[in-house]
Amino acid sequence: QRGLTEEARKISLLNKKKKLYRLGSQPPLTLVIGNDFEHLNPSWNVKVSLVKEYFKEHGDTADVCLLHWVGGTKPWSSKQNLRSTHKKWWYKYQHNTPITKTSLKAGK
């Protein structure tokens, strides 16, 4: 056990007090992991804003393991509007998630 979760938690709590960084959870994860990681197949981090380019590069039938919703607008938050192109991708892959249309309507 390396204690990565606790290290990232400490950095996040320090940031809450001192505002050392922005960009959500990525900075503490990067700091605690450093160079100790393995590269994944690109299908494990397809940014929604670049999904069309991903399919152009990898083919129309390419697998998408994880759609990365960068920024504050998330499809599971019914309070925010998604661009119509992003809604298309959310509804295409939503069945692979534990989030349902019912929970979307309820704002869960």
Side-chain angles (χ1 to χ4, degrees):
Q1 290 268 348
R2 291 181 43 199
L4 298 178
T5 301
E6 187 56 32
E7 285 182 54
R9 184 179 173 279
K10 286 177 185 176
I11 293 169
S12 295
L13 291 173
L14 182 62
N15 184 60
K16 223 175 173 181
K17 291 179 185 176
K18 299 196 178 206
K19 306 290 184 222
L20 302 170
Y21 61 83
R22 297 181 316 159
L23 304 174
S25 60
Q26 189 60 50
L29 295 174
T30 301
L31 288 168
V32 299
I33 292 171
N35 291 325
D36 190 15
F37 67 91
E38 293 184 34
H39 289 275
L40 295 173
N41 182 297
S43 67
W44 280 97
N45 190 19
V46 178
K47 292 181 182 176
V48 172
S49 59
L50 301 174
V51 74
K52 286 183 188 177
E53 290 81 357
Y54 175 82
F55 284 116
K56 282 181 189 173
E57 185 177 332
H58 298 281
D60 289 340
T61 59
D63 287 332
V64 172
C65 300
L66 188 141
L67 284 174
H68 187 161
W69 298 87
V70 179
T73 304
K74 309 293 186 204
W76 49 89
S77 174
S78 62
K79 296 175 184 169
Q80 298 172 344
N81 290 323
L82 292 176
R83 294 193 329 219
S84 61
T85 53
H86 293 174
K87 283 182 184 178
K88 169 186 162 184
W89 297 110
W90 169 249
Y91 289 119
K92 179 175 180 175
Y93 293 103
Q94 178 187 10
H95 68 278
N96 291 331
T97 73
I99 299 170
T100 65
K101 287 182 183 178
T102 305
S103 65
L104 276 176
K105 288 178 185 171
K108 295 179 183 175

